[in-house]
Amino acid sequence: MSGLELRPRFKIETDLSPENVIQKICTSIDGKDAPCEGSVVTNHAVLRMPENEIHFWSPQLNLDVSKKDDGSEIRGLFGPSPGVWTLFMFLYMGFAVIGIFGLFYGLSQMTLDKEPVALWSVPIIIALELSLYFIAQTGKKLGQKQMHELNSILNRVLKNTNSLSTREEK
């Protein structure tokens, strides 16, 4: 995982069928003493920390299981909860729109030989965007322990399988 990657991805190939992988995941999230919570819909699963351990920066693990010739392929994506992800994307896009509007308005002021005060919005918006990025990186670090826990839960679920290969995707 690179430091610039906001949502780490990985791929695991195993000799189990997709149905067996999904069954193992279902078994791991069912029950009172399950190490994590989650949901499964056909060949897609979402793993989350138990409700009493969730905080604003808690990650979730999205898994897509697909059939391969000799087993199955599991593609994983770590990310924040959908509400947090939506909030950050809304802020990124909102700041960008305001910055573009300020840039064009300032350029219009310049062409009309007026004081281009709206151009001050551009460095302010860039500073806000950078601040938002660093806040997201801090949140990622705060959720890193739980991300490793979810990863180890998945590894325990698949421990009785022959993993053909595991690699990080970019």
Side-chain angles (χ1 to χ4, degrees):
M1 288 181 271
S2 78
L4 294 176
E5 190 175 17
L6 290 177
R7 295 174 36 161
R9 299 171 188 269
F10 63 90
K11 180 170 68 170
I12 300 172
E13 294 178 359
T14 181
D15 60 354
L16 286 177
S17 70
E19 295 80 20
N20 287 346
V21 171
I22 291 295
Q23 181 58 42
K24 284 180 168 279
I25 292 171
C26 285
T27 304
S28 74
I29 61 177
D30 288 340
K32 197 185 275 187
D33 296 329
C36 66
E37 296 176 352
S39 58
V40 176
V41 178
T42 57
N43 285 354
H44 182 78
V46 178
L47 302 179
R48 295 179 286 285
M49 296 304 296
E51 190 68 36
N52 61 343
E53 296 180 29
I54 291 180
H55 54 77
F56 185 76
W57 298 107
S58 289
Q60 65 181 27
L61 175 56
N62 290 287
L63 301 168
D64 283 312
V65 183
S66 58
K67 182 151 183 58
K68 294 283 280 186
D69 294 335
D70 52 352
S72 59
E73 177 180 82
I74 304 162
R75 290 181 179 268
L77 171 68
F78 286 102
S81 69
V84 172
W85 183 251
T86 303
L87 171 68
F88 271 81
M89 288 299 105
F90 177 78
L91 290 173
Y92 278 128
M93 291 301 138
F95 289 157
V97 167
I98 292 169
I100 291 170
F101 177 78
L103 175 66
F104 286 126
Y105 190 67
L107 292 174
S108 297
Q109 288 174 324
M110 280 178 52
T111 59
L112 295 172
D113 292 327
K114 293 184 178 182
E115 186 71 26
V117 292
L119 285 179
W120 281 104
S121 67
V122 175
I124 292 169
I125 292 298
I126 290 172
L128 288 172
E129 290 272 353
L130 286 172
S131 298
L132 197 58
Y133 173 79
F134 288 116
I135 289 169
Q137 290 300 310
T138 302
K140 183 175 153 184
K141 285 184 180 130
L142 292 173
Q144 195 168 28
K145 180 180 177 217
Q146 290 181 339
M147 190 171 72
H148 289 297
E149 287 177 36
L150 288 173
N151 191 40
S152 68
I153 290 168
L154 178 64
N155 288 336
R156 277 182 281 172
V157 166
L158 299 173
K159 74 178 175 184
N160 296 330
T161 68
N162 293 330
S163 234
L164 301 175
S165 69
T166 303
R167 71 179 171 97
E168 235 176 76
E169 288 185 347
K170 297 257 176 179

